[in-house]
Amino acid sequence: MIQDDYGGQVLLTQEELKLLVDKYGQIQEVLEKKNHQES
């Protein structure tokens, strides 16, 4: 179960969690680029 700052919740399967962990580096790169563009 993942909960965001606004109380929204998502229940992930083990497979979905593994995909999220495996893709964490790529997700961070996208977020960093987005934050840099907004600055």
Side-chain angles (χ1 to χ4, degrees), residues 1 4-5 11 13 15-16 19 22 28:
M1 178 73 64
D4 66 18
D5 295 340
L11 181 60
T13 65
E15 186 173 314
E16 290 169 331
L19 286 171
D22 290 346
Q28 282 300 108

Side-chain angles (χ1 to χ4, degrees), residues 24-39:
Y24 179 78
Q26 293 173 353
I27 294 168
Q28 282 300 108
E29 287 178 24
V30 169
L31 291 175
E32 288 172 9
K33 286 179 185 175
K34 181 180 177 189
N35 287 337
H36 183 69
Q37 289 174 350
E38 292 176 353
S39 309

Side-chain angles (χ1 to χ4, degrees), residues 2-20:
I2 297 175
Q3 183 170 337
D4 66 18
D5 295 340
Y6 305 103
Q9 296 180 335
V10 176
L11 181 60
L12 300 175
T13 65
Q14 287 183 343
E15 186 173 314
E16 290 169 331
L17 179 58
K18 182 180 182 317
L19 286 171
L20 181 61

